[in-house]
mmCIF file of all heavy atoms in Angstrom:
data_model
loop_
_atom_site.group_PDB
_atom_site.id
_atom_site.type_symbol
_atom_site.label_atom_id
_atom_site.label_comp_id
_atom_site.label_asym_id
_atom_site.label_seq_id
_atom_site.Cartn_x
_atom_site.Cartn_y
_atom_site.Cartn_z
ATOM 1 N N VAL M 59 13.242 5.189 8.399
ATOM 2 C CA VAL M 59 12.262 4.108 8.244
ATOM 3 C C VAL M 59 12.491 3.305 6.951
ATOM 4 O O VAL M 59 12.077 2.179 6.832
ATOM 5 C CB VAL M 59 10.821 4.675 8.277
ATOM 6 C CG1 VAL M 59 10.470 5.110 9.686
ATOM 7 C CG2 VAL M 59 10.633 5.835 7.318
ATOM 8 N N GLY M 60 13.128 3.943 5.970
ATOM 9 C CA GLY M 60 13.474 3.195 4.749
ATOM 10 C C GLY M 60 12.326 2.647 3.949
ATOM 11 O O GLY M 60 12.445 1.608 3.321
ATOM 12 N N VAL M 61 11.183 3.301 3.992
ATOM 13 C CA VAL M 61 9.999 2.718 3.374
ATOM 14 C C VAL M 61 9.711 3.184 1.965
ATOM 15 O O VAL M 61 9.093 2.428 1.185
ATOM 16 C CB VAL M 61 8.743 2.939 4.239
ATOM 17 C CG1 VAL M 61 8.910 2.268 5.596
ATOM 18 C CG2 VAL M 61 8.405 4.389 4.430
ATOM 19 N N CYS M 62 10.116 4.382 1.588
ATOM 20 C CA CYS M 62 9.673 4.904 0.267
ATOM 21 C C CYS M 62 10.414 4.220 -0.857
ATOM 22 O O CYS M 62 9.864 4.072 -1.944
ATOM 23 C CB CYS M 62 9.800 6.427 0.194
ATOM 24 S SG CYS M 62 11.473 7.012 -0.094
ATOM 25 N N ARG M 63 11.644 3.825 -0.637
ATOM 26 C CA ARG M 63 12.467 3.069 -1.577
ATOM 27 C C ARG M 63 12.957 3.881 -2.776
ATOM 28 O O ARG M 63 13.499 3.289 -3.725
ATOM 29 C CB ARG M 63 11.761 1.760 -2.067
ATOM 30 C CG ARG M 63 11.094 0.953 -0.985
ATOM 31 C CD ARG M 63 11.949 0.595 0.202
ATOM 32 N NE ARG M 63 12.896 -0.467 -0.084
ATOM 33 C CZ ARG M 63 13.812 -0.867 0.797
ATOM 34 N NH1 ARG M 63 13.888 -0.326 2.004
ATOM 35 N NH2 ARG M 63 14.661 -1.827 0.508
ATOM 36 N N LYS M 74 21.927 -6.964 -4.688
ATOM 37 C CA LYS M 74 20.690 -6.230 -4.540
ATOM 38 C C LYS M 74 20.895 -4.739 -4.348
ATOM 39 O O LYS M 74 21.932 -4.328 -3.772
ATOM 40 C CB LYS M 74 19.894 -6.751 -3.295
ATOM 41 C CG LYS M 74 19.107 -7.999 -3.596
ATOM 42 C CD LYS M 74 18.407 -8.512 -2.328
ATOM 43 C CE LYS M 74 17.266 -7.604 -1.872
ATOM 44 N NZ LYS M 74 16.485 -8.219 -0.791
ATOM 45 N N ARG M 101 12.352 4.716 -11.358
ATOM 46 C CA ARG M 101 11.170 4.845 -12.207
ATOM 47 C C ARG M 101 10.022 3.982 -11.696
ATOM 48 O O ARG M 101 8.866 4.361 -11.657
ATOM 49 C CB ARG M 101 11.511 4.478 -13.638
ATOM 50 C CG ARG M 101 10.510 4.922 -14.699
ATOM 51 C CD ARG M 101 10.615 4.071 -15.961
ATOM 52 N NE ARG M 101 10.371 2.656 -15.693
ATOM 53 C CZ ARG M 101 9.150 2.111 -15.535
ATOM 54 N NH1 ARG M 101 8.073 2.825 -15.659
ATOM 55 N NH2 ARG M 101 9.056 0.812 -15.249
ATOM 56 N N ALA M 102 10.390 2.777 -11.242
ATOM 57 C CA ALA M 102 9.410 1.853 -10.730
ATOM 58 C C ALA M 102 8.738 2.389 -9.487
ATOM 59 O O ALA M 102 7.511 2.342 -9.344
ATOM 60 C CB ALA M 102 10.057 0.489 -10.431
ATOM 61 N N GLU M 105 6.413 5.111 -10.417
ATOM 62 C CA GLU M 105 5.184 4.609 -11.016
ATOM 63 C C GLU M 105 4.251 4.047 -9.944
ATOM 64 O O GLU M 105 3.042 4.339 -9.898
ATOM 65 C CB GLU M 105 5.501 3.504 -12.038
ATOM 66 C CG GLU M 105 4.271 3.029 -12.763
ATOM 67 C CD GLU M 105 4.531 1.984 -13.836
ATOM 68 O OE1 GLU M 105 5.460 1.156 -13.632
ATOM 69 O OE2 GLU M 105 3.797 1.989 -14.851
ATOM 70 N N PHE M 106 4.824 3.297 -9.019
ATOM 71 C CA PHE M 106 4.005 2.758 -7.900
ATOM 72 C C PHE M 106 3.352 3.891 -7.080
ATOM 73 O O PHE M 106 2.204 3.817 -6.687
ATOM 74 C CB PHE M 106 4.867 1.876 -6.983
ATOM 75 C CG PHE M 106 5.132 0.495 -7.564
ATOM 76 C CD1 PHE M 106 6.390 -0.088 -7.380
ATOM 77 C CD2 PHE M 106 4.190 -0.220 -8.247
ATOM 78 C CE1 PHE M 106 6.659 -1.364 -7.881
ATOM 79 C CE2 PHE M 106 4.438 -1.479 -8.747
ATOM 80 C CZ PHE M 106 5.688 -2.064 -8.558
ATOM 81 N N LEU M 107 4.143 4.877 -6.761
ATOM 82 C CA LEU M 107 3.610 5.954 -5.883
ATOM 83 C C LEU M 107 2.504 6.716 -6.561
ATOM 84 O O LEU M 107 1.660 7.330 -5.913
ATOM 85 C CB LEU M 107 4.732 6.906 -5.519
ATOM 86 C CG LEU M 107 5.739 6.376 -4.501
ATOM 87 C CD1 LEU M 107 6.880 7.351 -4.296
ATOM 88 C CD2 LEU M 107 5.096 6.065 -3.176
ATOM 89 N N HIS M 110 -2.205 5.433 -7.439
ATOM 90 C CA HIS M 110 -3.485 5.894 -6.789
ATOM 91 C C HIS M 110 -3.447 7.407 -6.576
ATOM 92 O O HIS M 110 -4.362 7.958 -5.994
ATOM 93 C CB HIS M 110 -3.714 5.159 -5.490
ATOM 94 C CG HIS M 110 -4.061 3.708 -5.704
ATOM 95 N ND1 HIS M 110 -5.306 3.311 -6.184
ATOM 96 C CD2 HIS M 110 -3.380 2.588 -5.465
ATOM 97 C CE1 HIS M 110 -5.336 2.007 -6.304
ATOM 98 N NE2 HIS M 110 -4.169 1.525 -5.850
ATOM 99 N N ARG M 139 0.803 2.925 -16.437
ATOM 100 C CA ARG M 139 0.215 1.724 -17.041
ATOM 101 C C ARG M 139 -0.946 1.210 -16.205
ATOM 102 O O ARG M 139 -1.476 0.153 -16.495
ATOM 103 C CB ARG M 139 1.295 0.667 -17.206
ATOM 104 C CG ARG M 139 2.421 1.063 -18.150
ATOM 105 C CD ARG M 139 3.512 0.023 -18.168
ATOM 106 N NE ARG M 139 4.177 -0.080 -16.885
ATOM 107 C CZ ARG M 139 4.983 -1.075 -16.544
ATOM 108 N NH1 ARG M 139 5.200 -2.059 -17.374
ATOM 109 N NH2 ARG M 139 5.573 -1.056 -15.360
ATOM 110 N N PHE M 140 -1.245 1.912 -15.152
ATOM 111 C CA PHE M 140 -2.304 1.461 -14.222
ATOM 112 C C PHE M 140 -3.657 1.891 -14.812
ATOM 113 O O PHE M 140 -3.956 3.076 -14.861
ATOM 114 C CB PHE M 140 -2.073 2.135 -12.855
ATOM 115 C CG PHE M 140 -2.979 1.631 -11.770
ATOM 116 C CD1 PHE M 140 -2.733 0.435 -11.086
ATOM 117 C CD2 PHE M 140 -4.053 2.396 -11.379
ATOM 118 C CE1 PHE M 140 -3.557 0.026 -10.071
ATOM 119 C CE2 PHE M 140 -4.910 1.992 -10.347
ATOM 120 C CZ PHE M 140 -4.670 0.813 -9.673
ATOM 121 N N ARG M 141 -4.423 0.916 -15.207
ATOM 122 C CA ARG M 141 -5.712 1.240 -15.830
ATOM 123 C C ARG M 141 -6.863 0.727 -14.994
ATOM 124 O O ARG M 141 -7.693 -0.066 -15.397
ATOM 125 C CB ARG M 141 -5.790 0.642 -17.261
ATOM 126 C CG ARG M 141 -4.745 1.187 -18.231
ATOM 127 C CD ARG M 141 -4.967 0.610 -19.609
ATOM 128 N NE ARG M 141 -4.765 -0.863 -19.623
ATOM 129 C CZ ARG M 141 -5.671 -1.747 -20.049
ATOM 130 N NH1 ARG M 141 -6.816 -1.337 -20.505
ATOM 131 N NH2 ARG M 141 -5.381 -3.035 -19.997
ATOM 132 N N PHE M 142 -6.848 1.137 -13.723
ATOM 133 C CA PHE M 142 -7.903 0.733 -12.808
ATOM 134 C C PHE M 142 -8.365 1.984 -12.048
ATOM 135 O O PHE M 142 -7.753 2.995 -12.100
ATOM 136 C CB PHE M 142 -7.381 -0.308 -11.810
ATOM 137 C CG PHE M 142 -6.917 -1.554 -12.407
ATOM 138 C CD1 PHE M 142 -5.592 -1.721 -12.800
ATOM 139 C CD2 PHE M 142 -7.784 -2.602 -12.692
ATOM 140 C CE1 PHE M 142 -5.172 -2.894 -13.383
ATOM 141 C CE2 PHE M 142 -7.386 -3.780 -13.293
ATOM 142 C CZ PHE M 142 -6.056 -3.925 -13.645
ATOM 143 N N ILE M 164 1.844 9.448 0.316
ATOM 144 C CA ILE M 164 2.700 8.351 -0.137
ATOM 145 C C ILE M 164 3.211 7.525 1.031
ATOM 146 O O ILE M 164 4.107 6.731 0.891
ATOM 147 C CB ILE M 164 3.858 8.858 -0.994
ATOM 148 C CG1 ILE M 164 4.721 9.856 -0.178
ATOM 149 C CG2 ILE M 164 3.349 9.495 -2.277
ATOM 150 C CD1 ILE M 164 6.092 10.074 -0.817
ATOM 151 N N LEU M 165 2.645 7.749 2.209
ATOM 152 C CA LEU M 165 2.971 6.960 3.405
ATOM 153 C C LEU M 165 4.459 6.967 3.757
ATOM 154 O O LEU M 165 5.046 5.936 4.045
ATOM 155 C CB LEU M 165 2.460 5.526 3.202
ATOM 156 C CG LEU M 165 0.933 5.422 3.125
ATOM 157 C CD1 LEU M 165 0.498 4.090 2.558
ATOM 158 C CD2 LEU M 165 0.270 5.650 4.489
ATOM 159 N N VAL M 184 -0.176 5.143 11.586
ATOM 160 C CA VAL M 184 -0.389 4.323 10.393
ATOM 161 C C VAL M 184 -1.494 3.360 10.752
ATOM 162 O O VAL M 184 -1.402 2.662 11.760
ATOM 163 C CB VAL M 184 0.845 3.489 10.022
ATOM 164 C CG1 VAL M 184 0.736 2.974 8.603
ATOM 165 C CG2 VAL M 184 2.111 4.251 10.245
ATOM 166 N N SER M 186 -4.553 0.374 9.330
ATOM 167 C CA SER M 186 -4.807 -0.662 8.327
ATOM 168 C C SER M 186 -3.523 -1.209 7.702
ATOM 169 O O SER M 186 -2.429 -0.938 8.226
ATOM 170 C CB SER M 186 -5.796 -0.136 7.259
ATOM 171 O OG SER M 186 -6.260 -1.197 6.497
ATOM 172 N N ARG M 187 -3.620 -1.897 6.577
ATOM 173 C CA ARG M 187 -2.406 -2.473 6.028
ATOM 174 C C ARG M 187 -2.558 -2.662 4.516
ATOM 175 O O ARG M 187 -3.626 -2.401 3.932
ATOM 176 C CB ARG M 187 -2.040 -3.762 6.739
ATOM 177 C CG ARG M 187 -3.010 -4.888 6.378
ATOM 178 C CD ARG M 187 -2.686 -6.135 7.204
ATOM 179 N NE ARG M 187 -3.414 -7.269 6.673
ATOM 180 C CZ ARG M 187 -3.646 -8.389 7.363
ATOM 181 N NH1 ARG M 187 -3.239 -8.492 8.626
ATOM 182 N NH2 ARG M 187 -4.267 -9.374 6.805
ATOM 183 N N GLY M 188 -1.472 -3.135 3.919
ATOM 184 C CA GLY M 188 -1.496 -3.339 2.486
ATOM 185 C C GLY M 188 -1.790 -2.044 1.771
ATOM 186 O O GLY M 188 -1.457 -0.961 2.225
ATOM 187 N N GLU M 189 -2.484 -2.171 0.638
ATOM 188 C CA GLU M 189 -2.738 -0.918 -0.134
ATOM 189 C C GLU M 189 -3.856 -0.104 0.538
ATOM 190 O O GLU M 189 -4.135 0.993 0.095
ATOM 191 C CB GLU M 189 -3.124 -1.271 -1.587
ATOM 192 C CG GLU M 189 -4.346 -2.160 -1.724
ATOM 193 C CD GLU M 189 -4.745 -2.377 -3.157
ATOM 194 O OE1 GLU M 189 -3.957 -2.082 -4.076
ATOM 195 O OE2 GLU M 189 -5.864 -2.897 -3.371
ATOM 196 N N THR M 191 -3.528 0.827 3.583
ATOM 197 C CA THR M 191 -2.799 1.538 4.648
ATOM 198 C C THR M 191 -3.059 3.039 4.524
ATOM 199 O O THR M 191 -3.070 3.563 3.426
ATOM 200 C CB THR M 191 -1.288 1.288 4.520
ATOM 201 O OG1 THR M 191 -1.092 -0.141 4.497
ATOM 202 C CG2 THR M 191 -0.531 1.872 5.703
ATOM 203 N N GLY V 179 -3.386 -12.246 13.682
ATOM 204 C CA GLY V 179 -3.961 -12.523 12.346
ATOM 205 C C GLY V 179 -3.261 -11.835 11.198
ATOM 206 O O GLY V 179 -3.917 -11.469 10.225
ATOM 207 N N ALA V 180 -1.966 -11.603 11.328
ATOM 208 C CA ALA V 180 -1.232 -11.008 10.190
ATOM 209 C C ALA V 180 -0.141 -11.961 9.748
ATOM 210 O O ALA V 180 0.733 -12.328 10.539
ATOM 211 C CB ALA V 180 -0.675 -9.676 10.573
ATOM 212 N N ARG V 197 2.985 -2.380 15.915
ATOM 213 C CA ARG V 197 2.419 -2.797 14.649
ATOM 214 C C ARG V 197 3.367 -3.786 14.008
ATOM 215 O O ARG V 197 4.569 -3.595 13.961
ATOM 216 C CB ARG V 197 2.352 -1.515 13.788
ATOM 217 C CG ARG V 197 1.609 -1.601 12.521
ATOM 218 C CD ARG V 197 1.750 -0.250 11.804
ATOM 219 N NE ARG V 197 1.562 -0.441 10.405
ATOM 220 C CZ ARG V 197 0.387 -0.592 9.811
ATOM 221 N NH1 ARG V 197 -0.686 -0.520 10.517
ATOM 222 N NH2 ARG V 197 0.328 -0.820 8.513
ATOM 223 N N HIS V 351 -3.377 -8.622 0.427
ATOM 224 C CA HIS V 351 -4.064 -8.442 1.706
ATOM 225 C C HIS V 351 -3.108 -8.479 2.886
ATOM 226 O O HIS V 351 -3.313 -7.811 3.880
ATOM 227 C CB HIS V 351 -5.123 -9.534 1.854
ATOM 228 C CG HIS V 351 -5.917 -9.467 3.131
ATOM 229 N ND1 HIS V 351 -6.731 -8.395 3.403
ATOM 230 C CD2 HIS V 351 -5.987 -10.323 4.169
ATOM 231 C CE1 HIS V 351 -7.306 -8.607 4.610
ATOM 232 N NE2 HIS V 351 -6.860 -9.747 5.068
ATOM 233 N N GLU V 352 -2.046 -9.254 2.745
ATOM 234 C CA GLU V 352 -1.137 -9.437 3.857
ATOM 235 C C GLU V 352 0.090 -8.514 3.833
ATOM 236 O O GLU V 352 0.890 -8.550 4.769
ATOM 237 C CB GLU V 352 -0.650 -10.917 3.915
ATOM 238 C CG GLU V 352 -1.815 -11.915 4.168
ATOM 239 C CD GLU V 352 -2.463 -11.704 5.558
ATOM 240 O OE1 GLU V 352 -1.879 -11.006 6.404
ATOM 241 O OE2 GLU V 352 -3.551 -12.245 5.773
ATOM 242 N N SER V 353 0.252 -7.777 2.767
ATOM 243 C CA SER V 353 1.346 -6.773 2.735
ATOM 244 C C SER V 353 1.181 -5.824 3.931
ATOM 245 O O SER V 353 0.065 -5.341 4.185
ATOM 246 C CB SER V 353 1.299 -6.014 1.438
ATOM 247 O OG SER V 353 2.123 -4.869 1.537
ATOM 248 N N GLY V 355 2.246 -2.928 4.106
ATOM 249 C CA GLY V 355 1.915 -1.659 3.543
ATOM 250 C C GLY V 355 2.980 -0.574 3.802
ATOM 251 O O GLY V 355 2.849 0.579 3.435
ATOM 252 N N GLN V 356 4.099 -0.962 4.447
ATOM 253 C CA GLN V 356 5.072 0.111 4.755
ATOM 254 C C GLN V 356 5.918 0.509 3.530
ATOM 255 O O GLN V 356 6.150 1.661 3.311
ATOM 256 C CB GLN V 356 5.936 -0.176 5.967
ATOM 257 C CG GLN V 356 6.911 -1.350 5.793
ATOM 258 C CD GLN V 356 7.887 -1.458 6.956
ATOM 259 O OE1 GLN V 356 8.168 -0.450 7.631
ATOM 260 N NE2 GLN V 356 8.351 -2.653 7.276
ATOM 261 N N CYS V 357 6.369 -0.449 2.740
ATOM 262 C CA CYS V 357 7.232 0.014 1.641
ATOM 263 C C CYS V 357 6.547 -0.030 0.312
ATOM 264 O O CYS V 357 5.718 -0.917 -0.003
ATOM 265 C CB CYS V 357 8.633 -0.566 1.667
ATOM 266 S SG CYS V 357 8.846 -2.301 1.609
ATOM 267 N N THR V 358 6.894 0.956 -0.521
ATOM 268 C CA THR V 358 6.134 1.262 -1.721
ATOM 269 C C THR V 358 5.972 0.101 -2.698
ATOM 270 O O THR V 358 4.825 -0.185 -3.105
ATOM 271 C CB THR V 358 6.808 2.448 -2.439
ATOM 272 O OG1 THR V 358 6.979 3.479 -1.484
ATOM 273 C CG2 THR V 358 5.988 2.919 -3.594
ATOM 274 N N ARG V 361 3.466 -2.607 -1.286
ATOM 275 C CA ARG V 361 2.151 -2.095 -1.031
ATOM 276 C C ARG V 361 1.369 -1.822 -2.292
ATOM 277 O O ARG V 361 0.235 -2.247 -2.471
ATOM 278 C CB ARG V 361 2.285 -0.791 -0.182
ATOM 279 C CG ARG V 361 0.930 -0.124 0.122
ATOM 280 C CD ARG V 361 1.131 1.233 0.818
ATOM 281 N NE ARG V 361 1.771 2.207 -0.022
ATOM 282 C CZ ARG V 361 2.915 2.825 0.277
ATOM 283 N NH1 ARG V 361 3.537 2.550 1.385
ATOM 284 N NH2 ARG V 361 3.432 3.708 -0.538
ATOM 285 N N GLU V 362 2.040 -1.139 -3.215
ATOM 286 C CA GLU V 362 1.322 -0.741 -4.440
ATOM 287 C C GLU V 362 1.347 -1.851 -5.474
ATOM 288 O O GLU V 362 0.378 -2.056 -6.175
ATOM 289 C CB GLU V 362 1.964 0.537 -5.022
ATOM 290 C CG GLU V 362 2.059 1.712 -4.063
ATOM 291 C CD GLU V 362 0.713 2.226 -3.550
ATOM 292 O OE1 GLU V 362 -0.293 1.965 -4.225
ATOM 293 O OE2 GLU V 362 0.670 2.893 -2.494
ATOM 294 N N GLY V 365 -1.107 -5.009 -4.892
ATOM 295 C CA GLY V 365 -2.524 -4.701 -5.247
ATOM 296 C C GLY V 365 -2.702 -4.586 -6.751
ATOM 297 O O GLY V 365 -3.731 -4.992 -7.270
ATOM 298 N N TRP V 366 -1.676 -4.103 -7.382
ATOM 299 C CA TRP V 366 -1.764 -3.947 -8.850
ATOM 300 C C TRP V 366 -1.803 -5.341 -9.526
ATOM 301 O O TRP V 366 -2.597 -5.592 -10.428
ATOM 302 C CB TRP V 366 -0.571 -3.133 -9.325
ATOM 303 C CG TRP V 366 -0.630 -2.619 -10.751
ATOM 304 C CD1 TRP V 366 -1.586 -2.918 -11.673
ATOM 305 C CD2 TRP V 366 0.293 -1.714 -11.355
ATOM 306 N NE1 TRP V 366 -1.294 -2.286 -12.859
ATOM 307 C CE2 TRP V 366 -0.149 -1.517 -12.700
ATOM 308 C CE3 TRP V 366 1.444 -1.077 -10.928
ATOM 309 C CZ2 TRP V 366 0.526 -0.692 -13.559
ATOM 310 C CZ3 TRP V 366 2.111 -0.251 -11.807
ATOM 311 C CH2 TRP V 366 1.685 -0.064 -13.095
ATOM 312 N N ARG V 369 -5.145 -6.884 -9.238
ATOM 313 C CA ARG V 369 -6.116 -6.306 -10.185
ATOM 314 C C ARG V 369 -5.901 -6.826 -11.595
ATOM 315 O O ARG V 369 -6.850 -7.128 -12.318
ATOM 316 C CB ARG V 369 -5.997 -4.772 -10.187
ATOM 317 C CG ARG V 369 -6.600 -4.084 -8.991
ATOM 318 C CD ARG V 369 -6.331 -2.557 -9.121
ATOM 319 N NE ARG V 369 -6.980 -1.836 -8.048
ATOM 320 C CZ ARG V 369 -6.456 -1.754 -6.808
ATOM 321 N NH1 ARG V 369 -5.365 -2.424 -6.492
ATOM 322 N NH2 ARG V 369 -7.081 -1.022 -5.886
ATOM 323 N N ARG V 373 -8.549 -8.982 -13.832
ATOM 324 C CA ARG V 373 -9.028 -8.530 -15.144
ATOM 325 C C ARG V 373 -8.856 -9.636 -16.198
ATOM 326 O O ARG V 373 -9.757 -9.857 -17.018
ATOM 327 C CB ARG V 373 -8.297 -7.261 -15.547
ATOM 328 C CG ARG V 373 -8.804 -6.759 -16.917
ATOM 329 C CD ARG V 373 -8.620 -5.251 -17.054
ATOM 330 N NE ARG V 373 -7.229 -4.923 -17.163
ATOM 331 C CZ ARG V 373 -6.721 -3.695 -16.896
ATOM 332 N NH1 ARG V 373 -7.528 -2.738 -16.474
ATOM 333 N NH2 ARG V 373 -5.499 -3.434 -17.069
ATOM 334 N N GLU V 380 -6.008 -7.709 -21.618
ATOM 335 C CA GLU V 380 -5.369 -7.593 -22.938
ATOM 336 C C GLU V 380 -4.016 -8.222 -22.820
ATOM 337 O O GLU V 380 -3.503 -8.400 -21.752
ATOM 338 C CB GLU V 380 -5.224 -6.117 -23.330
ATOM 339 C CG GLU V 380 -6.523 -5.345 -23.469
ATOM 340 C CD GLU V 380 -6.249 -3.847 -23.597
ATOM 341 O OE1 GLU V 380 -5.323 -3.508 -24.331
ATOM 342 O OE2 GLU V 380 -6.975 -3.082 -22.949
ATOM 343 N N ASP V 383 -1.478 -6.722 -20.672
ATOM 344 C CA ASP V 383 -1.578 -6.888 -19.236
ATOM 345 C C ASP V 383 -0.603 -7.928 -18.708
ATOM 346 O O ASP V 383 -0.133 -7.830 -17.578
ATOM 347 C CB ASP V 383 -3.023 -7.270 -18.850
ATOM 348 C CG ASP V 383 -4.004 -6.123 -18.999
ATOM 349 O OD1 ASP V 383 -3.571 -4.963 -18.923
ATOM 350 O OD2 ASP V 383 -5.210 -6.368 -19.172
ATOM 351 N N SER V 389 6.295 -7.106 -15.648
ATOM 352 C CA SER V 389 7.087 -5.950 -15.380
ATOM 353 C C SER V 389 6.900 -5.522 -13.895
ATOM 354 O O SER V 389 7.838 -5.137 -13.210
ATOM 355 C CB SER V 389 6.745 -4.836 -16.352
ATOM 356 O OG SER V 389 7.008 -3.568 -15.800
ATOM 357 N N GLN V 393 9.508 -5.056 -10.823
ATOM 358 C CA GLN V 393 9.666 -3.815 -10.083
ATOM 359 C C GLN V 393 9.568 -4.001 -8.558
ATOM 360 O O GLN V 393 10.009 -3.153 -7.808
ATOM 361 C CB GLN V 393 8.597 -2.797 -10.533
ATOM 362 C CG GLN V 393 8.842 -2.324 -11.966
ATOM 363 C CD GLN V 393 7.869 -1.267 -12.428
ATOM 364 O OE1 GLN V 393 7.941 -0.829 -13.609
ATOM 365 N NE2 GLN V 393 6.939 -0.798 -11.598
ATOM 366 N N GLY V 396 13.159 -7.716 -4.920
ATOM 367 C CA GLY V 396 14.460 -7.247 -4.475
ATOM 368 C C GLY V 396 14.465 -5.805 -4.006
ATOM 369 O O GLY V 396 15.493 -5.310 -3.537
ATOM 370 N N ASN V 397 13.342 -5.090 -4.164
ATOM 371 C CA ASN V 397 13.357 -3.671 -3.858
ATOM 372 C C ASN V 397 12.661 -3.315 -2.512
ATOM 373 O O ASN V 397 12.408 -2.149 -2.243
ATOM 374 C CB ASN V 397 12.696 -2.890 -4.968
ATOM 375 C CG ASN V 397 13.586 -2.868 -6.216
ATOM 376 O OD1 ASN V 397 14.788 -3.117 -6.127
ATOM 377 N ND2 ASN V 397 13.010 -2.564 -7.358
ATOM 378 N N THR V 398 12.327 -4.342 -1.754
ATOM 379 C CA THR V 398 11.517 -4.096 -0.553
ATOM 380 C C THR V 398 12.308 -4.398 0.733
ATOM 381 O O THR V 398 13.406 -4.956 0.660
ATOM 382 C CB THR V 398 10.262 -4.979 -0.568
ATOM 383 O OG1 THR V 398 10.624 -6.326 -0.761
ATOM 384 C CG2 THR V 398 9.301 -4.533 -1.666
ATOM 385 N N ILE V 399 11.746 -3.999 1.842
ATOM 386 C CA ILE V 399 12.447 -4.214 3.128
ATOM 387 C C ILE V 399 12.511 -5.689 3.455
ATOM 388 O O ILE V 399 13.544 -6.214 3.883
ATOM 389 C CB ILE V 399 11.737 -3.439 4.259
ATOM 390 C CG1 ILE V 399 11.919 -1.919 4.076
ATOM 391 C CG2 ILE V 399 12.201 -3.866 5.632
ATOM 392 C CD1 ILE V 399 11.181 -1.062 5.096
#
Side-chain angles (χ1 to χ4, degrees):
Chain M
V59 289
V61 298
C62 78
R63 315 307 285 176
K74 277 178 70 171
R101 195 203 58 81
E105 184 178 35
F106 282 141
L107 288 174
H110 290 289
R139 296 176 294 167
F140 186 81
R141 296 184 297 124
F142 299 92
I164 59 163
L165 295 165
V184 196
S186 193
R187 71 183 194 201
E189 60 176 12
T191 307
Chain V
R197 190 182 154 80
H351 180 64
E352 296 296 346
S353 166
Q356 68 171 333
C357 59
T358 308
R361 178 184 67 237
E362 306 297 340
W366 193 354
R369 284 178 177 78
R373 182 153 70 201
E380 297 170 42
D383 287 335
S389 155
Q393 291 184 182
N397 289 342
T398 53
I399 289 175

